[in-house]
Amino acid sequence: MVINLKNTLKLRTFDINNDIKDIETAAEILRNGGIVAIPTETVYGLAADAFDSEAVKKIFEAKGRPQDNPLIVHISDFEQIYSIAREVPEKAKALADAFWPGPLTIILPKREEIPSETSGGLDTVAVRMPSHDVAREIIARSCPLAAPSANISGFPSPTSFDHVEADMTGRADAICNGGDCDVGVESTVITLATEIPVLLRPGGVTLEQLESILGEVRVADAVLNPMKKDEKAESPGMKYKHYSPDAQIQIVRGNLKEFADFVNSSDCDGVLCFEGEEEHFPEKICVTFGREDDSLSQAQRLFDALRELDEKGSKNVFSRAPSENGVGLAVCNRLYRAAAFRFVNAKKTIVGLTGPTGAGKGFISEYLKKLGCYVSDTDAIAREITMKDSPFLGILAEHFGQDIIDENGELKRKLLAERAFKTKESQILLNSLMHPEIIRISVERCNDAIEKGAAAAIIDAPLLFEAGADKYCDTIIAVIAPKEIRIERIMKRDGITREQALGRMSVQHEDEFYTMKSEFTVRSFEPYDAEEELKGFVEKYLGQVM
Ligand code: TXA
Ligand code: MG
């Protein structure tokens, strides 16, 4: 492709009166089937007429983008949506009302007129109305524009004119200069083509904002986790390498002090940290990405920071771990990919392991032990504190009668059970005595094990949430399994009948009770592959420590 610098437009500050000629030039190139890099409030896009398959093909060629990764169609006027989407549900209108123009992309069933080049061969199409004046004016003067981020595929998206110039000179027919991008990460992508809306890519419009309009929104697994082997991508873009600088990045969990101690005793050459922290790393190449307590500023800076690391020649970089809340979800989604999900723990983790009976927690804790984790079994602690000579027996006797302890100092378990399970109140009383004691011991042992060098400490607790132990956990793994498998396991394990097993299961929560509150879910089938199931967890929390 010929370099076309003549058409490199200078639109640094958009002023409709001064820049209108350049905008018109860009629109004309697009009307004639050319490709132009345009500014948007999120990142720069590489645009072409969304209805022109030949023009759209040029985008894929210029970026080196896989053909099956669909593009977003950008509009300047809501009515244009009807020329793109076959159906526009009320939910889409409500989202548009609330967030357009702005950093939100909505996926809807597509009209035939949208060529399969634009939609990556899918029956759905992504639509967004950018809030950047230049982008909207160019669309208004041309047509709806298909535009992916204007970077070479696999590299960080461009958030300044310099970035686009570096990536697209000689590849695009023209490059427009609209200054630095406000948001700094690509738009939020949500699909309304499913029963429950799914957040496919977090961005400037947050999950909480989407929920305030839509109610329930499911977050795609791949937002914060690597794709599993054989997992089908909910959005084609999830499959591909993204945002990767040449430098190898690893994300370090821990506070500033833990981070600095870890980094300064390592032989890394680069540090990605928050503003104001530079002085802690006098011997490293240091690049900042926003302020620690401000996800918006991190989003704005992240891609530029990644490019800066490469420019400064850094090869081996440790990064601070940003918050995953609000716009932080978008920051983490990009940063985790830039780091190829490599994590290091300067802070060691307490992990909750929970799930209904027979789901297979035991298998998982055995596997985690092999990886160097300490496992504290709360059922075992419950037995321990009710053994002969345990001081806790005195507390039980105080509330349930001295006669629950026999002359040898042994607990009469049957008698205690009779008294404790008599009324709801007595049962609550027993729990309110047992649970805090079990948690206290469990957390104490976990901290001890971490101090002594365990990779992580696991609190294995069927009643993790009910007992309030989740408060002490940095992350939680839920283990669930199909009912049939659980029945058989319980029958075999406890030597009971099918009816008895069913009885036990009937008093337990549904799977969602566990999975909704847990960061990781293991679906335990038989035979199953613990290594594969726990890959995301291991990569995120055990990282190099193991
Ligand atoms: O902020 C943005 O969205 C920027 C600016 C230029 O508007 N554009 C952008 O485009 O980030 P791109 O192509 O880099 O990312 C589009 C993402 C991809 O991950 C793609 O797989 C997904 O949206 N996508 C597009 N159409 C889809 C569809 N029909 N179903 C599922 N995912 C889709
Ligand atoms: Mg992109």
Side-chain angles (χ1 to χ4, degrees):
M1 188 175 283
V2 183
I3 301 183
N4 195 345
L5 285 177
K6 261 206 309 239
N7 278 333
T8 297
L9 307 172
K10 300 280 183 219
L11 300 173
R12 183 159 289 285
T13 48
F14 175 67
D15 170 345
I16 191 106
N17 297 313
N18 290 333
D19 295 326
I20 207 71
K21 270 222 281 315
D22 287 342
I23 286 177
E24 182 48 37
T25 310
E28 192 187 340
I29 297 173
L30 288 161
R31 285 194 304 264
N32 292 328
I35 57 173
V36 179
I38 63 168
T40 85
E41 75 281 19
T42 56
V43 302
Y44 276 76
L46 182 59
D49 178 349
F51 295 96
D52 178 345
S53 58
E54 289 309 311
V56 169
K57 276 186 197 155
K58 294 182 197 166
I59 295 180
F60 285 90
E61 204 176 300
K63 277 182 60 95
R65 181 180 174 106
Q67 301 277 338
D68 70 342
N69 195 2
L71 308 180
I72 296 171
V73 180
H74 297 68
I75 58 177
S76 57
D77 178 336
F78 185 79
E79 294 304 310
Q80 290 169 326
I81 201 170
Y82 297 102
S83 66
I84 297 161
R86 195 166 69 230
E87 289 156 36
V88 182
E90 285 306 314
K91 282 179 177 171
K93 290 180 197 158
L95 286 177
D97 257 356
F99 305 116
W100 279 0
L104 176 68
T105 295
I106 306 173
I107 294 178
L108 296 168
K110 106 179 167 69
R111 282 182 73 99
E112 255 174 45
E113 290 81 358
I114 292 291
S116 68
E117 281 76 5
T118 300
S119 69
L122 298 176
D123 186 38
T124 50
V125 62
V127 191
R128 130 169 155 85
M129 188 195 293
S131 67
H132 199 292
D133 290 340
V134 173
R136 277 218 316 285
E137 190 59 33
I138 293 175
I139 299 165
R141 286 164 180 268
S142 55
C143 53
L145 297 176
S149 48
N151 51 287
I152 294 178
S153 244
F155 286 95
S157 298
T159 52
S160 74
F161 182 67
D162 289 350
H163 298 164
V164 203
E165 209 174 25
D167 280 18
M168 285 300 139
T169 298
R171 291 172 185 263
D173 294 313
I175 301 170
C176 303
N177 186 346
D180 293 346
C181 300
D182 275 350
V183 181
V185 291
E186 306 86 339
S187 60
T188 303
V189 178
I190 186 155
T191 179
L192 296 182
T194 46
E195 181 97 357
I196 294 167
V198 185
L199 175 67
L200 297 174
R201 182 177 74 182
V205 172
T206 63
L207 175 62
E208 294 73 17
Q209 286 177 307
L210 292 171
E211 285 170 339
S212 76
I213 304 290
L214 297 175
E216 188 180 358
V217 174
R218 183 167 71 77
V219 179
D221 245 12
V223 163
L224 288 184
N225 299 297
M227 298 274 296
K228 289 181 184 158
K229 231 178 13 203
D230 306 325
E231 187 185 350
K232 188 174 175 301
E234 295 189 73
S235 165
M238 292 168 172
K239 292 190 297 231
Y240 298 108
K241 190 175 118 180
H242 269 308
Y243 321 116
S244 311
D246 292 330
Q248 174 183 291
I249 299 179
Q250 298 182 68
I251 299 161
V252 182
R253 295 188 188 281
N255 60 28
L256 176 60
K257 185 180 178 305
E258 290 160 335
F259 179 81
D261 289 349
F262 178 85
V263 161
N264 288 325
S265 62
S266 83
D267 59 2
C268 78
D269 55 18
V271 168
L272 199 51
C273 64
F274 300 123
E275 275 166 34
E277 298 178 351
E278 301 92 318
E279 66 192 40
H280 294 273
F281 316 101
E283 280 156 27
K284 312 282 184 189
I285 298 171
C286 198
V287 174
T288 63
F289 69 113
R291 293 174 294 280
E292 178 169 20
D293 58 357
D294 179 3
S295 300
L296 280 174
S297 69
Q298 294 163 18
Q300 225 167 38
R301 279 283 305 142
L302 181 64
F303 289 143
D304 186 54
L306 294 177
R307 286 178 184 248
E308 202 176 319
L309 283 168
D310 281 351
E311 273 158 31
K312 293 185 168 160
S314 187
K315 290 279 165 272
N316 188 1
V317 178
F318 285 119
S319 170
R320 292 273 269 134
S323 151
E324 292 180 351
N325 297 327
V327 173
L329 189 63
V331 174
C332 290
N333 170 272
R334 309 313 191 274
L335 181 61
Y336 294 0
R337 281 174 171 72
F341 295 95
R342 281 181 293 252
F343 293 91
V344 178
N345 277 295
K347 159 184 186 261
K348 298 232 188 111
T349 315
I350 294 189
V351 185
L353 181 66
T354 190
T357 178
K361 283 193 306 300
F363 301 128
I364 301 297
S365 56
E366 281 313 309
Y367 174 71
L368 291 171
K369 272 186 205 163
K370 276 194 214 136
L371 298 183
C373 296
Y374 168 79
V375 178
S376 136
D377 176 347
T378 51
D379 286 342
I381 297 176
R383 280 193 298 277
E384 204 180 303
I385 61 173
T386 52
M387 296 291 266
K388 186 177 165 189
D389 296 334
S390 155
F392 185 70
L393 286 187
I395 295 172
L396 284 180
E398 225 173 84
H399 290 87
F400 290 97
Q402 295 300 330
D403 56 337
I404 61 166
I405 300 173
D406 72 12
E407 57 277 14
N408 300 321
E410 301 265 9
L411 175 67
K412 295 185 199 155
R413 289 176 192 272
K414 233 171 132 185
L415 186 60
L416 173 66
E418 260 171 46
R419 290 190 183 156
F421 294 114
K422 206 147 116 204
T423 65
K424 212 166 173 183
E425 285 71 36
S426 58
Q427 199 170 337
I428 291 172
L429 174 64
L430 180 66
N431 287 343
S432 73
L433 298 173
M434 294 282 288
H435 288 164
E437 179 66 0
I438 295 170
I439 297 172
R440 186 186 64 74
I441 295 173
S442 186
V443 171
E444 198 177 282
R445 288 181 187 170
C446 284
N447 284 329
D448 236 35
I450 284 173
E451 202 61 35
K452 293 197 180 103
I458 319 286
I459 302 182
D460 174 351
L463 300 178
L464 188 85
F465 298 114
E466 295 89 328
D470 51 331
K471 279 199 300 288
Y472 298 91
C473 299
D474 300 297
T475 186
I476 295 169
I477 302 174
V479 187
I480 56 170
K483 283 228 159 64
E484 266 315 307
I485 291 183
R486 287 174 53 206
I487 293 172
E488 270 170 38
R489 278 193 195 141
I490 298 169
M491 287 168 61
K492 207 150 105 198
R493 183 188 67 195
D494 300 342
I496 57 176
T497 66
R498 193 182 165 80
E499 280 59 45
Q500 287 168 321
L502 279 169
R504 250 182 233 187
M505 284 164 59
S506 70
V507 297
Q508 295 207 317
H509 300 284
E510 292 298 317
D511 289 348
E512 288 69 38
F513 172 84
Y514 303 97
T515 57
M516 294 283 286
K517 297 185 219 164
S518 303
E519 189 179 2
F520 298 93
T521 296
V522 174
R523 287 181 180 76
S524 148
F525 294 98
E526 262 175 274
Y528 79 105
D529 184 349
E531 190 177 331
E532 181 58 27
E533 289 285 344
L534 278 174
K535 206 164 145 192
F537 167 78
V538 170
E539 274 163 10
K540 194 159 168 187
Y541 285 100
L542 302 186
Q544 270 201 337
V545 174
M546 25 166 312

